[in-house]
Amino acid sequence: ERSSLRLSALKLVESENNTTLITMMQSDAGGGAAPSNPSASGDLPTSDTGGAAAAASAMADKAKQHISAVGSQVQVQVQGFAGHPVLPVVCRAWIFLFSLLSWTITASLTSLGSASNFQLAVGVIIWIFSIFWLVVEVSILKAIDLPIGTGTVWMNRVEIFSDAILAFLAFGSACSVSGVTTALCDFFDFPTGGECKKYIASNVFMWFTWLVQVIPLVVFTAPAIAKAGDSQDGTVLRTALQTRA
């Protein structure tokens, strides 16, 4: 009987211990500390995105200012070169030299066709006009008065129209002789000897003449085109020509 009572007491103590252990485990599960989350706890400092954006904006502004300064310096250098008083004289001298070489080489050919005759005539005409305008430019550079009304409206119109017509003639003659030299010299190897080389040389110098002859036209028309491009009335061509509605 004593042994049975002792066994009952041990079972009661064991049951109470199990109940206490279960209660402690439930309290740990319900009220324990939550797993640590550095991003949610707020203990770590967040990244300063505003400061990075401001730094990037400041760098972009500095880059824009640098590019603008470089562009202004280039523009000043180009304007200084274009505004040099000797540049018009050099331009007319190039036209004189290239046209002279073109028509003299063309005239030395033993057999002249229609294309080479056309280039010869155009070269002589351009050469004569280049002498006239070269004298005008040199006189202006040296402050020498000429009895032809330099700087008047009609002289300016003569210059514009003569340069335009001569540029078109130079382009046409260069294209015609270029076609002849391609057909004869490259495909048929005729004429023989140094004639093909003379054809090609005269044509090359006529292309150079046309290239330099176009420069005054670009100088004449560029301001009008730029001004017409800012207008909102009709097309650029109508604005540049001031066409009436």
Side-chain angles (χ1 to χ4, degrees):
E1 184 177 358
R2 288 181 180 177
S3 61
S4 61
L5 290 174
R6 190 176 297 174
L7 182 61
S8 298
L10 290 174
K11 290 181 177 180
L12 180 61
V13 171
E14 184 178 359
S15 177
E16 289 180 354
N17 291 334
N18 290 334
T19 302
T20 304
L21 181 61
I22 292 172
T23 303
M24 292 176 64
M25 291 177 64
Q26 290 179 351
S27 63
D28 291 339
S36 61
N37 188 357
S39 62
S41 62
D43 295 336
L44 296 177
T46 58
S47 59
D48 191 3
T49 57
S57 178
M59 291 178 63
D61 292 338
K62 289 182 179 179
K64 290 180 180 179
Q65 292 176 0
H66 180 69
I67 294 173
S68 178
V70 172
S72 299
Q73 292 178 359
V74 172
Q75 185 177 4
V76 169
Q77 294 293 332
V78 171
Q79 290 178 352
F81 174 77
H84 200 281
V86 182
L87 187 60
V89 178
V90 174
C91 182
R92 296 297 179 183
W94 281 346
I95 297 174
F96 169 82
L97 177 62
F98 292 149
S99 61
L100 175 64
L101 292 173
S102 177
W103 78 259
T104 52
I105 296 174
T106 306
S108 66
L109 296 172
T110 56
S111 59
L112 294 176
S114 58
S116 54
N117 282 327
F118 178 47
Q119 180 176 269
L120 175 60
V122 171
V124 171
I125 294 172
I126 294 176
W127 178 67
I128 294 173
F129 272 89
S130 67
I131 294 174
F132 174 76
W133 292 116
L134 182 60
V135 171
V136 171
E137 293 294 346
V138 172
S139 65
I140 294 175
L141 180 64
K142 298 297 183 179
I144 301 173
D145 293 333
L146 296 177
I148 57 174
T150 305
T152 58
V153 175
W154 71 272
M155 276 293 295
N156 293 337
R157 290 178 179 177
V158 170
E159 182 182 4
I160 293 172
F161 286 110
S162 64
D163 284 334
I165 294 172
L166 294 177
F168 282 114
L169 289 176
F171 181 78
S173 64
C175 288
S176 62
V177 174
S178 179
V180 171
T181 54
T182 302
L184 295 180
C185 297
D186 294 344
F187 292 99
F188 300 103
D189 196 17
F190 177 84
T192 59
E195 292 293 305
C196 279
K197 294 181 179 179
K198 290 182 180 180
Y199 263 112
I200 295 173
S202 64
N203 187 239
V204 168
F205 284 117
M206 180 53 70
W207 278 115
F208 286 161
T209 303
W210 169 77
L211 183 63
V212 184
Q213 189 73 51
V214 168
I215 294 177
L217 293 181
V218 175
V219 175
F220 297 153
T221 57
I225 294 174
K227 182 179 179 181
D230 296 334
S231 177
Q232 298 179 356
D233 298 332
T235 61
V236 175
L237 179 61
R238 287 180 172 272
T239 305
L241 297 176
Q242 296 181 359
T243 305
R244 293 185 296 273

